[in-house]
């Protein structure tokens, strides 16, 4: 059965581009009937919009500044998303807090990537907070989105070491490389791995 993905971005869109490139290289459309139907940004100046167009993906902007309330914005955003009948909505550096109604509408088909090893460091400034806490490792997490910010079933994680010379910027750059590895993997596994009950199976233990 055909499965559409809609990716939401706010900025550079490097995670979106990594997913698009994996989809192309791994033949998601030909092999699994999975395609990235659209990339939608809440910022007209998001650099990722040009990357999406270069990859031949349809783009749209739903500018949050044009709406009086969070609810109005989320309603307009959901309309733009639902035009593509998505099996999965992927938040990739999408920097807006979503309303409970929006999250409920996409329950079970909404993923996010967060630049920390959740449940450590939800919210912003994750890399500086990891350095300030003296963490020896940091990383990133792909998770299902639920009503509470940065909480929700964890699908995949990657770990990087924190070096004594690290700044928030150098750590962020190494974590971002890992984000690019795990997000496409998690998206594909999520779309392929859902069983009859709609649950994604967990990794299996050795016998
Ligand atoms: C990533 O670090 C993501 O985890 C965070 O914002 C950054 C977005 O980067 N939420 P990009 O737009 O995918 O390049």
């Amino acid at each position: 059965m055909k499965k559409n993905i809609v990716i939401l971005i706010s900025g550079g869109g490097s995670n979106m581009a990594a997913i698009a490139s994996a989809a192309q290289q791994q033949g998601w459309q030909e092999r699994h009937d999975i395609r990235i139907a659209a990339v939608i940004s809440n910022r007209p100046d998001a650099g990722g919009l040009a990357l999406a167009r270069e990859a031949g993906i349809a783009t749209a902007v739903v500018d949050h500044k044009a709406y009086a309330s969070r609810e109005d914005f989320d309603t307009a955003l959901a309309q733009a998303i639902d035009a593509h009948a998505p099996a999965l909505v992927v938040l990739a550096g999408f920097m807006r807090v979503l309303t409970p109604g929006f999250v409920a509408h996409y329950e079970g088909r909404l993923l996010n990537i967060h630049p920390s090893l959740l449940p450590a460091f939800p919210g912003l400034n994750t890399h500086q907070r990891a350095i300030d806490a003296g963490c020896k490792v940091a990383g990133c997490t792909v998770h299902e989105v639920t009503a509470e910010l940065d909480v929700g079933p964890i699908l995949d994680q990657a770990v990087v070491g924190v070096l004594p010379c690290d700044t928030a910027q150098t750590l962020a750059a190494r974590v971002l490389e890992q984000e690019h590895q795990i997000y496409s993997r998690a998206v594909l596994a999520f779309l392929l791995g859902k069983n009859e009950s709609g649950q994604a199976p967990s990794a299996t233990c050795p016998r």
Side-chain angles (χ1 to χ4, degrees):
M1 201 183 75
K2 182 175 146 189
K3 289 175 181 159
N4 280 347
I5 300 171
V6 171
I7 304 183
L8 306 187
I9 63 167
S10 298
S14 69
N15 275 294
M16 175 280 299
I19 295 168
S21 150
Q24 222 242 325
Q25 281 172 20
Q26 296 164 13
W28 290 9
Q29 181 150 11
E30 301 76 16
R31 295 175 65 197
H32 308 298
D33 218 359
I34 293 171
R35 72 184 256 274
I36 302 170
V39 169
I40 302 176
S41 171
N42 66 306
R43 297 177 61 110
D45 60 349
L49 288 168
L51 290 181
R53 283 192 287 265
E54 275 166 32
I57 303 167
T59 61
V61 173
V62 183
D63 187 347
H64 64 274
K65 291 191 184 135
Y67 297 89
S69 69
R70 232 175 244 287
E71 284 73 18
D72 288 353
F73 168 68
D74 278 7
T75 302
L77 181 61
Q79 269 176 15
I81 295 170
D82 289 348
H84 302 282
L88 188 64
V89 177
V90 172
L91 306 180
F94 185 69
M95 303 305 280
R96 300 292 298 172
V97 173
L98 298 163
T99 56
F102 182 97
V103 174
H105 180 64
Y106 296 104
E107 191 188 341
R109 53 184 178 134
L110 185 58
L111 302 189
N112 184 41
I113 191 155
H114 182 74
S116 80
L117 293 172
L118 290 173
F121 310 123
L124 298 174
N125 301 322
T126 53
H127 307 296
Q128 190 60 52
R129 286 158 66 204
I131 291 169
D132 291 347
C135 292
K136 302 303 176 203
V137 295
C140 48
T141 303
V142 179
H143 66 97
E144 280 191 63
V145 177
T146 55
E148 205 180 333
L149 186 72
D150 298 333
V151 175
I154 291 173
L155 300 177
D156 209 342
Q157 292 185 306
V159 177
V160 305
V162 179
L163 306 176
C165 55
D166 262 331
T167 62
Q169 287 71 32
T170 59
L171 181 57
R174 286 207 311 292
V175 170
L176 191 61
E177 281 174 24
Q178 293 303 311
E179 292 181 39
H180 297 162
Q181 300 299 315
I182 66 168
Y183 211 178
S184 60
R185 189 169 81 194
V187 163
L188 185 62
F190 190 79
L191 282 173
L192 296 183
K194 284 206 160 192
N195 62 24
E196 298 293 325
S197 67
Q199 297 295 311
S202 304
T204 48
C205 295
R207 286 172 194 271

